[in-house]
Amino acid sequence: MNDGPSDIPDPDPLPDQPSTPFAAQSEPQTSIIRRHPTGEFPAAPEPQTSILGRAAESQTSYIPRARPAVVGTPRSKQANPSAAIATAVASILTGWSTAVIATDLITGWWRSDRLFCVAIGFLTAVSAAALIGGLIALLLRRRMGRLLIVVGSLVALLIFAGLFVAGAKLSPVVYAIPVLPAASVLLALLPATRRWARP
């Protein structure tokens, strides 16, 4: 028994020629339709519509511009803000003059009649709150603004009436100050101000 490798014959001796790939087998001819296309799809010409085709052929020169048309109800005329501006200025002056007079009264009468001073201070605060709120609401074109200005001006007139009833000694200029609240009331009730407050 021989152990050497030379005694066992090689069952599949490889040839000395280099190996080559197998030739691709051609697909058999069948009647089944292929699942993938072998080339590009032919592009079909797009059909021309009759309306666009005629319009494009007929328009060869000037194309007129479209004219705007009114849609819906026409807008009403804008309200003139001059009456609202005058009302705002008069209410600002009314609030300022009322605060000045009330401060002068409270500082002068505090030792003699504190209840009167507290009442004047309360009415001044109410008048100031109504005038400031009404002024802002009027400038924002809210209907409530006119009412607040009227209320604040009437409270200011009440303060001046309290001065005259109490018999306070005031300078002659102070007697002309009630014109400002009266002017604020009249300007707030004007029809032009009403139109401004209704957008």
Side-chain angles (χ1 to χ4, degrees):
M1 194 172 204
N2 233 343
D3 296 338
S6 59
D7 295 340
I8 299 171
D10 195 3
D12 190 13
L14 294 175
D16 292 337
Q17 297 176 357
S19 64
T20 58
F22 292 108
Q25 294 179 356
S26 62
E27 295 180 2
Q29 294 283 341
T30 61
S31 62
I32 299 175
I33 300 173
R34 293 185 179 194
R35 294 182 186 238
H36 57 84
T38 55
E40 295 182 2
F41 289 113
E46 294 183 9
Q48 244 185 0
T49 57
S50 58
I51 297 173
L52 292 178
R54 274 189 245 133
E57 290 168 6
S58 62
Q59 294 289 345
T60 56
S61 59
Y62 173 71
I63 300 175
R65 189 176 206 169
R67 298 184 184 205
V70 178
V71 178
T73 58
R75 292 184 178 179
S76 60
K77 187 180 176 183
Q78 268 310 75
N80 191 2
S82 58
I85 292 170
T87 306
V89 170
S91 63
I92 289 171
L93 292 175
T94 298
W96 172 77
S97 63
T98 305
V100 168
I101 295 301
T103 305
D104 187 39
L105 271 176
I106 290 171
T107 55
W109 287 56
W110 184 253
R111 290 184 183 173
S112 60
D113 194 356
R114 291 191 178 181
L115 184 61
F116 176 73
C117 293
V118 169
I120 291 294
F122 175 74
L123 290 175
T124 305
V126 170
S127 174
L131 286 172
I132 290 171
L135 178 65
I136 292 171
L138 181 68
L139 294 178
L140 291 175
R141 301 184 78 172
R142 303 285 189 263
R143 294 180 189 173
M144 186 60 71
R146 295 171 55 235
L147 177 64
L148 288 173
I149 287 175
V150 168
V151 168
S153 300
L154 289 177
V155 173
L157 284 174
L158 186 64
I159 292 171
F160 287 113
L163 290 179
F164 300 139
V165 167
K169 292 181 181 179
L170 304 169
S171 62
V173 179
V174 177
Y175 292 102
I177 289 181
V179 172
L180 292 171
S184 297
V185 170
L186 290 176
L187 287 170
L189 295 178
L190 284 177
T193 311
R194 186 180 68 241
R195 283 193 299 271
W196 169 261
R198 285 185 188 172

